[in-house]
Amino acid sequence: MSRVNLAWLYAITKYGYPPSIGDMYKAVDDAARLGFKAIELEVFGEKNLVEVEEHKKVLRDYIESKGLKVVNVAAIFPELLSADERTRERGLEYFRRTAKLATYFNALMTQTDTFTPPIEFIERKPYSTTIAFGERYRVRIPANFSWRSFWKMLVDVMKRCALIAKDHGLLLAVEPRVGETVSNSDAMLRLLDEVNEDNFGAVLDTGHLHAAKELIPLSIEKLGNKIIYVHISDNDGRDNYHWAPGKGTIDWDSVFEGLKKYGYSGYIAIDVGGPDIKDRLDDEVLIAKKFVEEMGRKHGLW
């Protein structure tokens, strides 16, 4: 049986960010209708966290009634990397509560981001209000900004998150994302080495890495068995679009050969979406699902 699940980008694209609790139920319906047996969930911000906590039993029962398994419950709280220590502690408490939710939903892992560093973005800022791809950014570095101090704080926070996840029997995954603090596989590798917890691993996100001009098979070589989750999408190698695989320029045989080489046995999430394909979202997701299932069989992943 293939290990292909639906990423939360589908729900974000269709219902907004974050989806309301009512729309979360609709996203579950969508996943089942599209033939998936597993999904990921995401919690963004305190309001969304409280909503999911209040509805957790009904939501879990509903997910199970649709024959779906929850693979991952992502904890997306920018407070985690605030310059203010009290705000960071509040973010860590939100993360702890999300880890508790992940165990309640019988998930394998939780996930978080490294967010944008505290520099000044002129006009647009990545992922500030919604998911937008193909943007251009201009930045200004504040006079009092210290990269080394910020990195040290990032490592400390991620280590604490990894230990919280471990206490809940979970893996913790982070993905390099265009425009964020960790935006490529080398930065991810450095973070993995410095956090140095056995439950802390990387998401191989093909869309983000390809848009960052990475050679994805080489990224797999660098990260190796620290890849604990995969997000699959395609683009033209220039803009950070998230199209169905085969619609862009990624060398997919080499990607799957790399995953096979390192014995990857986790889930592969269909991470297709964005405003440019919203009007044909279901078709793109079904194309992606069929493509990944066939490539997985071709290369012996399942």
Side-chain angles (χ1 to χ4, degrees):
M1 180 179 177
S2 67
R3 300 177 302 278
V4 180
N5 67 293
L6 184 61
W8 200 237
L9 180 57
Y10 179 95
I12 294 168
T13 299
K14 191 168 183 179
Y15 300 111
Y17 193 52
S20 68
I21 193 70
D23 286 336
M24 290 180 75
Y25 288 98
K26 294 178 184 176
V28 171
D29 286 338
D30 292 329
R33 174 176 53 81
L34 292 168
F36 287 92
K37 299 299 182 184
I39 58 170
E40 66 178 27
L41 303 176
E42 181 173 300
V43 178
F44 174 78
E46 182 184 17
K47 181 176 181 291
N48 190 218
L49 172 61
V50 171
E51 287 180 332
V52 176
E53 287 174 329
E54 290 176 346
H55 290 83
K56 64 181 183 180
K57 185 181 187 307
V58 178
L59 182 58
R60 186 182 69 177
D61 291 348
Y62 193 75
I63 291 169
E64 291 177 353
S65 76
K66 296 292 180 177
L68 291 165
K69 173 182 175 58
V70 177
V71 173
N72 173 33
V73 181
I76 310 302
F77 303 108
E79 293 90 343
L80 285 167
L81 296 183
S82 170
D84 178 69
E85 183 177 358
R86 286 178 297 181
T87 304
R88 287 201 304 277
E89 290 298 328
R90 189 167 74 249
L92 284 162
E93 181 56 30
Y94 296 157
F95 181 87
R96 185 176 291 105
R97 286 161 60 182
T98 306
K100 186 175 181 180
L101 281 173
T103 61
Y104 187 82
F105 285 104
N106 298 309
L108 306 170
M109 72 180 74
T110 184
Q111 178 181 337
T112 194
D113 285 341
T114 60
F115 307 102
T116 53
I119 58 179
E120 181 183 350
F121 283 83
I122 302 166
E123 298 174 354
R124 298 182 183 91
K125 182 178 181 180
Y127 323 112
S128 56
T129 56
T130 188
I131 301 295
F133 301 130
E135 292 184 328
R136 302 290 188 273
Y137 304 114
R138 295 174 58 216
V139 302
R140 184 176 293 117
I141 306 299
N144 63 347
F145 176 72
S146 166
W147 169 254
R148 288 175 175 80
S149 296
F150 181 71
W151 180 266
K152 182 179 179 182
M153 184 263 284
L154 170 69
V155 171
D156 176 69
V157 169
M158 291 297 141
K159 189 174 188 72
R160 293 177 69 183
C161 286
L163 292 173
I164 291 168
K166 186 178 291 187
D167 286 344
H168 288 79
L170 300 166
L171 299 172
L172 171 61
V174 165
E175 67 181 6
R177 301 212 306 173
V178 170
E180 293 197 335
T181 302
V182 171
S183 59
N184 56 59
S185 56
D186 290 286
M188 187 69 232
L189 194 60
R190 182 183 175 194
L191 184 63
L192 288 165
D193 287 345
E194 295 192 28
V195 170
N196 193 29
E197 293 294 337
D198 58 9
N199 69 320
F200 184 52
V203 181
L204 184 82
D205 188 300
T206 61
H208 284 288
L209 293 175
H210 194 53
K213 298 292 191 292
E214 293 233 9
L215 301 172
I216 300 176
L218 184 58
S219 301
I220 296 170
E221 284 295 319
K222 292 173 182 178
L223 297 169
N225 58 15
K226 294 301 287 185
I227 297 171
I228 60 174
Y229 194 32
V230 176
H231 274 183
I232 288 287
S233 66
D234 208 341
N235 56 52
D236 57 8
R238 184 188 68 180
D239 291 321
N240 190 26
Y241 294 117
H242 279 45
W243 302 332
K247 297 294 186 74
T249 58
I250 291 175
D251 178 359
W252 287 106
D253 278 305
S254 294
V255 170
F256 278 84
E257 285 167 5
L259 293 172
K260 175 64 175 178
K261 175 180 177 180
Y262 283 95
Y264 182 73
S265 60
Y267 275 83
I268 296 178
I270 302 302
D271 195 33
V272 169
D276 60 306
I277 62 169
K278 184 176 181 179
D279 62 345
R280 59 181 193 278
L281 182 61
D282 282 8
D283 289 341
E284 292 283 323
V285 165
L286 287 172
I287 290 168
K289 181 174 181 290
K290 181 180 179 182
F291 182 97
V292 171
E293 288 173 344
E294 290 178 350
M295 288 294 283
R297 285 193 291 271
K298 176 181 177 181
H299 292 280
L301 264 65
W302 42 69

